[in-house]
Amino acid sequence: LTEAVTNAVRHGSRSAADLVELSVEKGDEGISFSVRDRGRFSRRSTGGGPMAERGRGLEIMERLSDELDIEPSPAGTEVRLSRRLAAA
């Protein structure tokens, strides 16, 4: 979640007045997060190799969530992550 919010703050605004919207929803099977910004999504590749300091955020989000969906639109980008919770 923090990676998605960080990306939205750093890359997802067209002006300083743009907001980043965050929503959290807990269901019976897990928890879902949505981060929405006003920026234009582009899948970047650093080509810096495994020791690069930047450019691995999407991979991190993919590995740490059960589902990751990125939906770009003319109005901005929405990143949705979900994680199943173990039964209590």
Side-chain angles (χ1 to χ4, degrees):
L1 175 62
T2 57
E3 182 64 31
V5 172
T6 299
N7 285 346
V9 170
R10 286 190 177 170
H11 308 295
S13 63
R14 297 175 187 171
S15 77
D18 286 345
L19 297 176
V20 172
E21 299 173 41
L22 171 65
S23 64
V24 180
E25 184 177 317
K26 184 184 180 302
D28 291 336
E29 296 182 15
I31 189 163
S32 298
F33 306 93
S34 172
V35 179
R36 194 173 318 173
D37 62 46
R38 304 291 178 251
R40 300 178 100 179
F41 176 77
S42 66
R43 189 175 289 269
R44 295 184 183 140
S45 174
T46 62
M51 298 303 290
E53 291 184 26
R54 301 179 57 96
R56 293 189 314 262
L58 291 177
E59 181 180 352
I60 290 168
M61 288 188 286
E62 287 172 342
R63 289 179 183 237
L64 294 178
S65 62
D66 291 315
E67 293 181 37
L68 171 66
D69 183 42
I70 301 170
E71 190 170 319
S73 75
T77 302
E78 182 176 7
V79 176
R80 290 184 299 271
L81 305 104
S82 64
R83 183 80 175 158
R84 287 183 289 281
L85 300 176

